[in-house]
Amino acid sequence: SQQGEEDPQALSIQEGENATMNCSYKTSINNLQWYRQNSGRGLVHLILIRSNEREKHSGRLRVTLDTSKKSSSLLITASRAADTASYFCAGGSNYKLTFGKGTLLTVNP
Amino acid sequence: DAGVIQSPRHEVTEMGQEVTLRCKPISGHDYLFWYRQTMMRGLELLIYFNNNVPIDDSGMPEDRFSAKMPNASFSTLKIQPSEPRDSAVYFCASGGGDEQFFGPGTRLTVL
């Protein structure tokens, strides 16, 4: 079963713009993680936010978590063509992750 | 470290054949996960191990699927007999904490 549901399913922006992706989840979690997948590759961990945190930053990434709404958002600032990929959120509990279906981000040069 | 290693990278087989996928986790990681990714169902957790012991296999689709981890540096996922609906990309991931490190995947096509 899917834990996270990302929104939108696809997003196309111009280089330099910001990209925001949202995620909703269903059950209780210890943490919420975001991963990136380039076409034909494995997933790469981007950032983790714990259930007692509300916001976290890492470079051009900003993640928020609202446990009352069971939702999270990932903001990528000043996007680059190299950011083109699929982005997945995953709810973590006891080392087990349940992934959503992802948002396909296309950054046009 | 070379990261998580999976083999083969591509496998094409005929319905009814046995398929074995292999994974070498990152040294020192005590968790190993097998996932399946399809367009229709997304990324699904099949089974995961902790210190070589299967902890949760509730995602294994049916008895045709089996997984083993005979030691800390090797795991296999076996499908016997294979069916066309098993066609997917199978990922192995390992971790020592909350973050997981994924291998490049095995693209399986069952004709």
Side-chain angles (χ1 to χ4, degrees), chain B residues 16 77-78 87 99:
Chain B
L77 177 68
K78 186 175 293 186
S87 296
E99 177 182 348

Side-chain angles (χ1 to χ4, degrees), chain A residues 68-108:
Chain A
S68 67
K69 296 180 179 178
K70 289 189 166 58
S71 67
S72 174
S73 68
L74 172 67
L75 168 67
I76 304 174
T77 60
S79 63
R80 306 166 182 168
D83 294 329
T84 294
S86 291
Y87 291 81
F88 296 86
C89 71
S93 179
N94 298 323
Y95 300 104
K96 180 177 171 178
L97 293 178
T98 309
F99 285 84
K101 288 198 172 182
T103 292
L104 176 60
L105 173 66
T106 302
V107 181
N108 301 299

Side-chain angles (χ1 to χ4, degrees), chain A residues 36-54:
Chain A
R36 185 179 83 179
Q37 184 180 33
N38 289 86
S39 181
R41 302 282 193 93
L43 281 73
V44 175
H45 181 264
L46 292 176
I47 192 166
L48 177 154
I49 185 166
R50 302 205 178 277
S51 59
N52 61 353
E53 297 176 308
R54 291 296 167 260

